[in-house]
Amino acid sequence: MLEFPAYELVKIEEKEKEILFRLAWIFKESLNDFGTSVDRSLRYLEKIILPIIMASKKDRAYNPFSEIIEKYVLHILHRKLGKFGYNLLPLGYSSDLTLEDENHILNIDVKTANLDNPGDFKKTINVGINQMTHVARLRINKTFLPPPYFVYPNLPPFYEMEDGQRKLILTYGFIFIYPPYRDLIDDVRKDYNDLLNLFQRKVVNVLQAVLKLTDIEDSKPSQSKIQSIAENLIRGVFIHRCEKNVILKSLGISEGERIILERFYHKLKNVARKLRERDVKPVAIILISLPNGLLKDRYLNKFVSGKSYGKSARYHYEDGIFEILKEKTGEEIPRVLFVDLRKEYLSELKSFFDKINLLDYQIRRL
């Protein structure tokens, strides 16, 4: 890595801080628009409840709002950052939103997490190799490998342009934390699994007739293919309602089994209603400035390989401050800002965060 004098490293943190607060204020001033947009999406909750159930795994619920949130956040930031001279930079191997101005490049990633899964947000942020410029340490058998054996991301600390200009790459992560709702998903998970098993049995019977299968195991479709066919037919019945009768007739669904399907359909609507009543909206919105890779000597110990070994990293922000700026000024300026939070969840959030720096007309530590 090219050597940068200490005064330039200070300038990097000053720029990271400047953009952090700019992004935070832009989004804070857009909270009303954001909330209105989310409310519009929630009106269609019944329409997407089946995919939510189907995507949920045994030990955790799929977050149906991740794509919704990402779309709104990126729309707001793209529109408002344009007023500051930023242009969209549609690069591959980059974050959810990449923008540039004359001097630097912004990479912004949007993440969602549930309050009952603190490993996704407690003092840490998980980032992929397209979402950071900082290297991360690799560990094997509980032992960290020595330099230079690191996770090297797809983003360098800067791009060197043809005219010799170095355009610094600054990376930021939004985390939207939601209240828990896995219990509502669990209430209908068994019903869905029973329905899936029913459809899989029916599919096997149909395939045996259509494909004229013998008892030879090698001639039978794999279980994964049977499950995939069954899942598609379930979507056909409950989402593409005009196809319902054709599908049920083809599968040979009896009148008694049709009653089971109708009960499941009403249970889906009930889950959607309960989700809406629970007011499943963000309990906290956090913005994090990830250190640029040129600051490696100061932050290396806080970056380790993440969930996807060698292809992601966890930034353990801990105190979450601009450390080089603190040395220069003595002031603790947070790298981690709470753009918004719901006060009724404050005590619970405090159990996960040592410091909660809420952006207001002045930063308040709660």
Side-chain angles (χ1 to χ4, degrees):
M1 179 179 292
L2 298 174
E3 293 295 328
F4 274 64
Y7 75 88
E8 288 205 16
L9 298 184
V10 171
K11 287 183 179 179
I12 291 173
E13 286 214 336
E14 287 175 343
K15 180 57 68 174
E16 288 178 331
K17 180 197 76 171
E18 174 191 335
I19 303 302
L20 172 70
F21 280 81
R22 177 180 295 172
L23 290 174
W25 276 118
I26 283 174
F27 202 79
K28 191 171 188 71
E29 291 169 354
S30 304
L31 285 174
N32 286 338
D33 290 342
F34 173 75
T36 300
S37 297
V38 172
D39 285 340
R40 283 200 302 269
S41 291
L42 290 178
R43 291 188 321 203
Y44 291 85
L45 194 54
E46 286 88 353
K47 315 302 180 185
I48 63 170
I49 194 64
L50 176 63
I52 293 171
I53 303 300
M54 295 178 73
S56 296
K57 306 303 179 183
K58 181 178 180 181
D59 57 345
R60 62 189 301 176
Y62 169 72
N63 192 329
F65 309 102
S66 56
E67 293 183 6
I68 297 171
I69 293 303
E70 181 178 321
K71 287 182 174 70
Y72 288 140
V73 173
L74 300 185
H75 170 71
I76 289 169
L77 294 177
H78 177 214
R79 178 165 49 88
K80 297 209 169 184
L81 283 168
K83 299 176 182 178
F84 290 90
Y86 287 96
N87 294 308
L88 188 65
L89 186 63
L91 289 177
Y93 304 102
S94 57
S95 291
D96 295 329
L97 179 64
T98 304
L99 303 150
E100 68 168 346
D101 72 357
E102 293 181 356
N103 302 308
H104 60 267
I105 294 170
L106 289 185
N107 270 265
I108 301 169
D109 196 54
V110 181
K111 300 181 179 299
T112 56
N114 287 357
L115 201 56
D116 58 353
N117 192 29
D120 285 344
F121 62 83
K122 183 180 179 181
K123 301 181 182 179
T124 183
I125 180 172
N126 191 64
V127 288
I129 57 175
N130 297 329
Q131 302 158 359
M132 62 181 182
T133 66
H134 201 293
V135 299
R137 294 186 297 167
L138 284 166
R139 181 163 42 198
I140 292 182
N141 297 333
K142 299 183 179 180
T143 300
F144 283 111
L145 299 180
Y149 299 98
F150 297 132
V151 177
Y152 289 93
N154 283 329
L155 299 178
F158 59 88
Y159 287 135
E160 189 157 4
M161 311 306 288
E162 291 183 0
D163 62 1
Q165 179 192 14
R166 293 175 181 173
K167 298 195 78 166
L168 201 66
I169 300 177
L170 305 176
T171 55
Y172 298 86
F174 275 96
I175 301 180
F176 291 76
I177 303 177
Y178 281 86
Y181 54 85
R182 189 171 62 190
D183 58 311
L184 299 180
I185 304 299
D186 288 343
D187 280 347
V188 75
R189 195 191 309 277
K190 182 180 183 303
D191 298 81
Y192 172 72
N193 288 335
D194 291 343
L195 186 66
L196 178 61
N197 290 332
L198 169 64
F199 270 63
Q200 287 183 124
R201 292 194 301 270
K202 297 291 184 177
V203 166
V204 168
N205 292 337
V206 171
L207 291 180
Q208 285 177 338
V210 171
L211 301 179
K212 297 181 172 56
L213 295 177
T214 67
D215 291 332
I216 302 174
E217 288 295 326
D218 290 343
S219 66
K220 293 182 180 179
S222 66
Q223 179 60 36
S224 63
K225 287 183 178 179
I226 291 172
Q227 179 174 327
S228 181
I229 294 171
E231 288 172 341
N232 275 284
L233 292 173
I234 289 173
R235 285 192 290 269
V237 169
F238 290 96
I239 296 176
H240 302 264
R241 300 282 286 175
C242 58
E243 305 289 342
K244 174 182 174 181
N245 289 330
V246 173
I247 293 172
L248 297 185
K249 182 178 179 181
S250 175
L251 289 175
I253 299 294
S254 67
E255 288 300 317
E257 290 166 339
R258 284 175 180 254
I259 293 174
I260 294 174
L261 267 62
E262 285 303 310
R263 286 175 180 168
F264 180 74
Y265 175 69
H266 289 295
K267 199 155 191 176
L268 287 178
K269 294 183 69 174
N270 193 43
V271 170
R273 177 182 59 78
K274 289 181 178 179
L275 272 173
R276 186 176 287 107
E277 290 173 353
R278 191 167 290 189
D279 195 20
V280 185
K281 296 177 183 177
V283 303
I285 302 173
I286 305 170
L287 179 59
I288 300 173
S289 169
L290 281 76
N292 181 272
L294 294 174
L295 308 176
K296 175 171 71 77
D297 289 344
R298 179 53 57 93
Y299 292 97
L300 180 59
N301 287 340
K302 295 182 178 178
F303 280 85
V304 298
S305 182
K307 291 180 179 179
S308 180
Y309 184 80
K311 296 180 180 179
S312 68
R314 280 193 177 275
Y315 168 41
H316 294 270
Y317 51 80
E318 298 174 6
D319 289 340
I321 63 172
F322 290 95
E323 296 185 6
I324 295 176
L325 286 180
K326 181 183 178 183
E327 279 189 1
K328 178 185 177 184
T329 66
E331 185 179 2
E332 289 192 357
I333 303 170
R335 276 188 177 274
V336 181
L337 289 177
F338 277 70
V339 179
D340 191 40
L341 60 78
R342 287 162 62 177
K343 295 296 176 61
E344 63 266 33
Y345 287 92
L346 179 57
S347 59
E348 193 168 356
L349 289 167
K350 281 187 173 181
S351 69
F352 301 127
F353 297 92
D354 294 335
K355 297 177 181 178
I356 294 181
N357 293 300
L358 178 64
L359 184 71
D360 209 332
Y361 291 107
Q362 58 184 5
I363 296 175
R364 290 189 291 140
R365 180 160 303 166
L366 303 178

